[in-house]
Amino acid sequence: EESNKLIPLISLKKGEKGKINTICTSQTEHLKKIISMGIMPGMTIEMVRRFPTLLCQIGFSQFALDDEIAKYILVSIIN
């Protein structure tokens, strides 16, 4: 079940999954970094770890994200 409420990726708790809805930044540098990691709207992302850095997973790929980047990725929580 997918929630209609959008929250920044940085707000997901460890183990929670969200569906990426939008990337909300006009800063080209941030957009390039996000897109280069393969993060696109419609994908399901899981918060694997929150500390010392955010570790997220899409499919079988895991990657670390800066808080600065994660706040621009808006997701709806999947229950």
Side-chain angles (χ1 to χ4, degrees):
E1 178 88 15
E2 186 181 328
S3 165
N4 290 331
K5 182 181 174 191
L6 295 180
I7 61 166
L9 177 60
I10 196 171
S11 298
L12 280 185
K13 296 177 179 79
K14 180 180 175 180
E16 279 188 322
K17 292 182 180 179
K19 184 173 181 181
I20 300 170
N21 183 278
T22 189
I23 298 164
C24 192
T25 181
S26 58
Q27 295 186 32
T28 308
E29 187 178 312
H30 290 153
L31 278 173
K32 282 182 183 176
K33 188 168 186 175
I34 291 167
I35 291 169
S36 73
M37 286 187 261
I39 299 171
M40 304 293 241
M43 297 180 132
T44 298
I45 191 165
E46 179 180 354
M47 183 65 69
V48 176
R49 185 182 72 211
R50 295 193 47 84
F51 184 83
T53 59
L54 300 179
L55 183 67
C56 298
Q57 181 168 332
I58 294 178
F60 295 105
S61 301
Q62 290 188 350
F63 44 87
L65 279 176
D66 297 334
D67 292 0
E68 183 67 23
I69 297 290
K71 70 183 183 186
Y72 295 120
I73 301 168
L74 299 182
V75 301
S76 52
I77 294 177
I78 299 172
N79 296 332

